Amino acid sequence: MAAEEGQVAVTVSNKQVIFNNYVSGFPKESDMSIAVGEINLKLPESAAAGVLLKNLYLSCDPYMRPRMRNSSGSYVGAFQPGSPLSGYGVAKVLESGHPNFEKGDLVWGSTGWEEYTVSTEPGQLFKIQHKDVPLSYYTGILGMPGMTAYVGLYELCSPKKGEYVYVSAASGAVGQLVGQFAKLAGCYVVGSAGSQEKVDLLKNKFGFDEAFNYKEEQDLAAALKRYFPQGIDIYFENVGGKMLDAVLGNMRLRGRIAVCGMISQYNLESPEGVHNLASLIMNRIRMEGFIVSDHYHLYPKYLEMVVPKIKEGKIVYVEDTAEGLDNAPAALVGLFYGRNVGKQVVKVADD
Amino acid sequence: MAAEEGQVAVTVSNKQVIFNNYVSGFPKESDMSIAVGEINLKLPESAAAGVLLKNLYLSCDPYMRPRMRNSSGSYVGAFQPGSPLSGYGVAKVLESGHPNFEKGDLVWGSTGWEEYTVSTEPGQLFKIQHKDVPLSYYTGILGMPGMTAYVGLYELCSPKKGEYVYVSAASGAVGQLVGQFAKLAGCYVVGSAGSQEKVDLLKNKFGFDEAFNYKEEQDLAAALKRYFPQGIDIYFENVGGKMLDAVLGNMRLRGRIAVCGMISQYNLESPEGVHNLASLIMNRIRMEGFIVSDHYHLYPKYLEMVVPKIKEGKIVYVEDTAEGLDNAPAALVGLFYGRNVGKQVVKVADD
């Protein structure tokens, strides 16, 4: 096609973040390396029905840690050593062989950690319709993390007015939304995070009723007892391990736990034991794991709810932006130390 | 009343099983003692709206172990040291001050571990309508354990034809029914128990597709992998601890776990840790605890289903009967060592 139209495909440099090898313990920046290759800005024949993407934003997400393990144990495959990482991102379509997309479209979904990506599965990309919001939001509130908060809280936990909701990792990409959504539902919301700055954000920016720094608590169960003297109706689980144990000891009758993630466990060779599961019986608790991609059919409904709320300022979203692919490894690693304040995103290009 | 009618209240001896003191570790027969008191066979004024019961059968149930702990941690209160134990039983009404019952009625529900009990809460008793089945069944298949199997399997797990069901403590009061109910629903059913005799019972009497002796398995996860190469859709949890961990590693996508009990944990000072909870996320598993008494409104519906099946021989029920209150402590203790084969019941009197 390009040849017939007399166009010449341009070859440009393509910076990539390469996954070096499988990781044990906490990931380090040296588990990744920056490489600069070249790419012909034209869909190759092997991907004639795909799309060629220019990546604008990349998303750093906790679920990427299990993908760094051999035989990943994650619900998506392990990263390939020697190849670029992949993940969620926002991109511009430079060329499309797929009927749903055309040149110039903005999309979000699975892409590579590089400047340009040939996607052979564009069916998994979402075309961006609302452009009068920050584009980076499609790695967060308007993308996978937003849907995660929405599905986990509303679909799995059915919050009712006056219920007591606890969110761990509450200032993160998902947690800050869970708290705000629960407030919209009329709940009493407490969040925990790992620094005073984050705690302030929870209370002053996101409107949580209370918040605490879990690192300053010797006894998590006692802390929860203090913030929830009457117990917890809904727990949005992001961290696992000791926190889950403390929560199980503080749940109310007919409580619900949406199990979204267990970031505290991802860097351990073997996960911590959780001891208080008998609370599930005593308190008739439902605990349910979920994967957001099972629920993407609800995305239009979610957008309908959330976009007006963003525009009216009723929902806010805080991002922590790393500039450029060179800073992407540090941004991803930082996620597991809680260095990010808000949603960790990597800006790759302006447009 | 009795006086007006010219009757003389008879005083008889009342043998009781006394709870001596709070228990740590496995309960022992010496944690209970047999006492013989006297009872006036007439409702006292303090229980004028109650019923006077002659106990015929008493039920030995795992949930009684947590009640032996101070600040019980159970959903029912701790036993009172120096007083008789209480639990489920079948009894005859000798006198009633309650409009729902009259002299001669047979009932099942909460009663004392003694020959005669004054019940001040007869609202919690069920009048026995179907008498053409063994009366002892109302401590088992037609009582709390039957409802437990029914609610946990059908209401919480919605078994579908062809699904793979695993039951632990499978020859017990509840497990033997879960397996048979799952077979009726068209499932493939595997059970585990603690002796060859019980394994044979599961396969030959209850119609489980497969069964194994968990005590002979070095690696429970590997055993489950062997019996469920395709994974487990439904797990009926009776034991907790290591078994739960092994199951979590073998669940299928969208699996369901009904958490009925955790008998392996009840005698431990602190419960074992469960490590594989991340499987809840990966496999989108719902795990739900329940207390059967929340669901007793379904009892008539359950009877309608199960009574014909008993009469047609399509459901069988195996009981292990201890004769007389003197043997009740050993029967209860034996439950925690798996000495019972089938539902453990204590026969107190013929009628």
Side-chain angles (χ1 to χ4, degrees):
Chain A
M1 279 266 285
E4 287 175 60
E5 289 168 14
Q7 294 174 351
V8 177
V10 183
T11 295
V12 296
S13 73
N14 188 21
K15 191 179 282 187
Q16 301 183 309
V17 181
I18 302 295
F19 178 61
N20 292 339
N21 211 338
Y22 300 117
V23 173
S24 65
F26 275 74
K28 306 173 297 298
E29 288 183 53
S30 61
D31 293 321
M32 294 161 268
S33 51
I34 305 295
V36 181
E38 288 193 332
I39 186 169
N40 192 330
L41 288 185
K42 182 182 179 317
L43 275 177
E45 277 187 28
S46 61
V51 291
L52 175 64
L53 300 174
K54 181 182 185 192
N55 294 312
L56 306 180
Y57 293 96
L58 294 174
S59 180
C60 297
D61 293 299
Y63 84 93
M64 297 171 77
R65 175 63 189 85
R67 299 186 65 193
M68 296 180 176
R69 207 169 279 142
N70 200 355
S71 76
S72 117
S74 181
Y75 36 92
V76 284
F79 294 130
Q80 288 301 311
S83 295
L85 286 82
S86 58
Y88 282 94
V90 173
K92 189 164 73 175
V93 174
L94 297 186
E95 189 188 348
S96 172
H98 191 280
N100 290 3
F101 302 99
E102 57 186 47
K103 184 176 167 175
D105 279 350
L106 292 168
V107 297
W108 72 269
S110 183
T111 191
W113 275 43
E114 55 196 345
E115 291 177 280
Y116 300 95
T117 298
V118 172
S119 168
T120 54
E121 291 187 336
Q124 294 183 13
L125 296 170
F126 295 84
K127 197 190 288 197
I128 290 175
Q129 312 285 0
H130 301 273
K131 297 175 191 171
D132 49 353
V133 290
L135 267 187
S136 55
Y137 276 17
Y138 289 92
T139 67
I141 182 170
L142 296 177
M144 180 275 283
M147 274 296 288
T148 300
Y150 177 73
V151 166
L153 182 69
Y154 287 126
E155 297 292 315
L156 273 73
C157 296
S158 309
K160 287 185 280 293
K161 196 175 172 201
E163 285 195 316
Y164 297 90
V165 176
Y166 174 55
V167 191
S168 54
S171 72
V174 174
Q176 56 176 295
L177 293 173
V178 174
Q180 292 181 79
F181 292 165
K183 285 307 297 173
L184 287 176
C187 298
Y188 181 87
V189 182
V190 179
S192 60
S195 74
Q196 188 56 46
E197 179 187 7
K198 293 178 184 180
V199 166
D200 291 344
L201 205 57
L202 293 177
K203 290 202 278 195
N204 304 327
K205 180 104 182 167
F206 301 131
F208 283 56
D209 294 288
E210 286 289 351
F212 65 95
N213 180 348
Y214 72 90
K215 291 181 180 168
E216 288 184 351
E217 299 292 341
Q218 291 294 311
D219 180 340
L220 289 172
L224 290 172
K225 187 86 194 158
R226 205 163 67 234
Y227 287 103
F228 295 99
Q230 66 301 95
I232 299 166
D233 290 299
I234 293 176
Y235 173 49
F236 196 99
E237 166 66 307
N238 286 315
V239 302
K242 291 183 184 66
M243 182 63 88
L244 177 55
D245 244 344
V247 168
L248 284 168
N250 280 282
M251 290 295 288
R252 288 185 103 183
L253 276 192
R254 297 183 185 77
R256 290 138 272 154
I257 300 177
V259 190
C260 171
M262 296 189 168
I263 195 172
S264 75
Q265 306 298 298
Y266 293 164
N267 301 304
L268 306 177
E269 280 313 287
S270 67
E272 292 175 293
V274 171
H275 300 263
N276 290 332
L277 288 166
S279 169
L280 297 180
I281 309 172
M282 310 305 170
N283 296 307
R284 298 80 151 160
I285 293 167
R286 195 180 70 223
M287 188 167 169
E288 189 166 358
F290 72 105
I291 303 284
V292 64
S293 54
D294 292 343
H295 303 267
Y296 277 156
H297 59 281
L298 298 173
Y299 184 59
K301 185 178 157 198
Y302 171 62
L303 281 186
E304 212 170 283
M305 181 279 280
V306 80
V307 170
K309 293 221 169 4
I310 293 172
K311 292 183 180 167
E312 295 160 15
K314 287 186 181 158
I315 298 262
V316 296
Y317 200 62
V318 169
E319 296 176 327
D320 195 331
T321 306
E323 292 287 335
L325 281 173
D326 291 327
N327 291 313
L332 181 56
V333 168
L335 199 65
F336 299 98
Y337 290 95
R339 286 184 196 132
N340 57 308
V341 177
K343 163 69 194 174
Q344 181 66 59
V345 58
V346 177
K347 181 173 177 180
V348 183
D350 270 320
D351 60 9
Chain B
M1 280 268 286
E4 287 175 59
E5 289 169 15
Q7 296 175 352
V8 177
V10 183
T11 295
V12 296
S13 74
N14 188 21
K15 192 180 281 188
Q16 300 183 310
V17 181
I18 302 293
F19 178 60
N20 291 341
N21 211 339
Y22 300 117
V23 173
S24 64
F26 275 73
K28 307 174 297 296
E29 288 184 51
S30 61
D31 293 319
M32 293 162 268
S33 51
I34 304 294
V36 181
E38 288 193 332
I39 186 169
N40 193 329
L41 287 186
K42 181 182 177 318
L43 274 177
E45 277 187 26
S46 61
V51 291
L52 175 65
L53 301 174
K54 180 182 185 193
N55 295 311
L56 305 180
Y57 292 96
L58 295 173
S59 180
C60 297
D61 294 299
Y63 83 93
M64 297 170 77
R65 175 62 188 84
R67 299 186 66 193
M68 296 180 177
R69 206 169 281 143
N70 200 355
S71 75
S72 120
S74 182
Y75 36 92
V76 283
F79 293 129
Q80 290 300 311
S83 294
L85 287 82
S86 58
Y88 283 93
V90 173
K92 189 164 72 173
V93 175
L94 296 187
E95 188 186 351
S96 173
H98 191 280
N100 290 3
F101 302 98
E102 56 186 49
K103 184 175 168 176
D105 280 349
L106 292 168
V107 297
W108 72 268
S110 183
T111 192
W113 275 42
E114 54 195 349
E115 291 177 280
Y116 300 95
T117 298
V118 173
S119 169
T120 55
E121 291 189 335
Q124 294 182 13
L125 295 170
F126 295 82
K127 198 190 288 197
I128 291 175
Q129 311 286 359
H130 301 273
K131 297 174 192 171
D132 49 353
V133 290
L135 266 188
S136 55
Y137 276 16
Y138 289 92
T139 66
I141 183 170
L142 296 177
M144 182 276 282
M147 274 296 287
T148 300
Y150 176 74
V151 165
L153 183 69
Y154 287 127
E155 296 292 315
L156 273 72
C157 296
S158 308
K160 288 186 280 293
K161 194 174 173 202
E163 285 195 317
Y164 297 89
V165 176
Y166 173 54
V167 191
S168 54
S171 71
V174 175
Q176 57 175 296
L177 293 174
V178 174
Q180 293 181 79
F181 292 165
K183 286 305 300 173
L184 286 177
C187 298
Y188 181 87
V189 183
V190 180
S192 60
S195 73
Q196 188 56 45
E197 180 187 6
K198 293 178 184 180
V199 166
D200 291 343
L201 205 56
L202 292 177
K203 290 202 278 195
N204 303 328
K205 180 105 182 165
F206 302 131
F208 283 56
D209 294 288
E210 286 288 350
F212 65 95
N213 180 348
Y214 73 90
K215 290 181 181 167
E216 287 183 353
E217 300 292 341
Q218 291 295 311
D219 180 340
L220 289 173
L224 289 173
K225 185 86 195 159
R226 204 163 68 233
Y227 287 103
F228 295 99
Q230 65 302 93
I232 298 166
D233 290 299
I234 293 175
Y235 173 48
F236 197 99
E237 165 67 305
N238 284 317
V239 303
K242 290 182 184 67
M243 182 63 88
L244 177 55
D245 244 345
V247 168
L248 283 168
N250 280 283
M251 290 295 288
R252 289 185 102 183
L253 276 191
R254 296 183 185 75
R256 289 138 274 156
I257 300 177
V259 189
C260 171
M262 296 188 168
I263 195 171
S264 75
Q265 306 297 298
Y266 294 163
N267 300 305
L268 306 177
E269 282 311 289
S270 67
E272 292 176 295
V274 172
H275 300 263
N276 290 332
L277 288 167
S279 169
L280 297 182
I281 309 173
M282 311 306 170
N283 295 309
R284 296 83 150 158
I285 293 167
R286 196 180 69 222
M287 188 167 168
E288 191 166 357
F290 72 106
I291 303 283
V292 64
S293 53
D294 293 344
H295 303 267
Y296 278 156
H297 59 281
L298 298 173
Y299 184 60
K301 186 178 155 197
Y302 171 62
L303 280 186
E304 211 170 282
M305 182 280 279
V306 81
V307 170
K309 294 222 169 0
I310 294 172
K311 292 182 181 169
E312 294 160 16
K314 287 185 182 158
I315 298 263
V316 296
Y317 200 62
V318 170
E319 296 176 327
D320 195 331
T321 306
E323 293 288 335
L325 281 172
D326 292 326
N327 290 312
L332 181 56
V333 166
L335 200 63
F336 300 98
Y337 291 96
R339 285 183 198 135
N340 56 308
V341 177
K343 164 69 196 174
Q344 181 66 59
V345 59
V346 177
K347 181 173 177 180
V348 184
D350 270 320
D351 58 10

